[in-house]
Amino acid sequence: MRVDAYKVMHWMNVRKMTAAQVAEASGVEPERFAASLTGAGDDEWPDSMAAAVARTLVIEPEKLAASGRRDLTVITRTARELHGTRRPIQRDGIHFYNYYTMAAPPGAVAPVILDILCPADRVPALNNGHMEPAITVNLGPGDIHGRWGEELDEATWQVMRANRDDDAWIVGDSYVEPSFCPHSYSLVSDAPARIVSYTGHSNLASLVEDVNDWAERPAQELVEWLGDHGPDGLTPYRLAVELLARRGHTPESAAAMLGMSGEKLAAALEEGSDGVLRELGSALGLDHRMLLRPERRHDRVGKTYRDVAECRRDARRFRGYRATSLACAPHLPDLTGLYLRVDGDEGEDLRELAETHYLVTGGEVTLHWTAADGRAASARLDADGTAWVAPFVAHRWTGDGALIKLGSGRHLSYLDLYELTNTYSAAATLRRARRDGRGWGYDS
């Protein structure tokens, strides 16, 4: 297997082992192992050597595997290439969808486009939902019915309309949905229709991966603990009880430390009193922001909707483009979307904190960026062309056309930003950590 020396060094630092100790414990010739850490040796390791080193470091061999670095600055996919990814889906005894995959790096979640084929005279069969939250847009040209539950009512059965007016760069209605929300779509009339759906990165994925390995009893305890608080999650007070207990405090003892009554602290947690929560966090090593009640804006099945009329009212100029926002929700802050109208050469550089996906919905536009080797690069795309742009890569669009711009939390997520705002000397920490080849300082 190809082994990443930086990952090996990281786990040596975690386990507090020197190169000589790892080589001896793994039965690897010391000079060969040392050379592999400096880049002087071959990164192609025999499986037996990789397994032995992994056993010594008490990890799975896959955690040492090289990712195969390549130029992941911008990836584009033409309309023809997109159409080549077509996969027909049979459901409920009929040809239900065609799926197409937009541009994205290998191994990354990518938005998909769906031909909606379930006819108007049929209630579409529900799927089971998925862990990743999603943002979905009706691409038209026809309207579609969305279904989000067994019983049909205004929250679970709704028409997602396409825009057939002159401002068709605002393509159609959109919504965001939470994890494991069952959903399905059918046509409203004989007019064909498509959607783009971005099942973005799930911040719960790493937690779920760990919980899958827990014993049954503690995993059930976690679920029951969360279930005590209803669909909107933990209250600030109940979360504070747990965080204080880890620090050997009850709410009453923490309140006494702050010179106030337990009732006053409870009221501060209920009201989100910034001053009290900051004081509590500073004294006990808590991030007080965790104790602020989150804002929620969704219907009873968890989805947040935005129609064409709302988009039209919100249309604005943004860095030389015409823009308006897709559906969004404060409880899903990583899911973002814009309609963009490109008109000539007026568009300025865009640069995002996280990866960005684009779908050309009309016209012909050109994407401009600087490649990893420093040379100017561009790609011309027409309707159904797609692009993926890495975080912190400046890029701009020219031409005459319309785009949908989508983002999720595959670095930097809002949790990454929380962590970075807490990190002492964040720039120096990342500068040192990136491809860190230094040991922990005990090698002779």
Side-chain angles (χ1 to χ4, degrees), residues 60-73:
E60 300 84 6
E62 293 75 17
K63 289 190 178 291
L64 302 180
S67 57
R69 294 190 189 96
R70 47 176 291 192
D71 181 359
L72 293 182
T73 303

Side-chain angles (χ1 to χ4, degrees), residues 74 76 365-371 375-381 396 398:
V74 171
T76 61
V365 291
T366 301
L367 175 62
H368 307 265
W369 72 96
T370 301
R375 291 185 295 179
S378 65
R380 180 174 294 180
L381 299 170
R396 61 189 291 262
T398 61

Side-chain angles (χ1 to χ4, degrees), residues 25 36 39 75 294 323 363 426:
S36 71
I75 298 172

Side-chain angles (χ1 to χ4, degrees), residues 64-99:
L64 302 180
S67 57
R69 294 190 189 96
R70 47 176 291 192
D71 181 359
L72 293 182
T73 303
V74 171
I75 298 172
T76 61
R77 177 168 281 174
T78 65
R80 182 176 181 179
E81 291 169 334
L82 175 85
H83 299 159
T85 68
R86 176 181 177 273
R87 289 100 62 200
I89 299 297
Q90 300 290 320
R91 180 189 290 176
D92 202 25
I94 62 172
H95 185 182
F96 205 85
Y97 295 137
N98 290 320
Y99 272 90

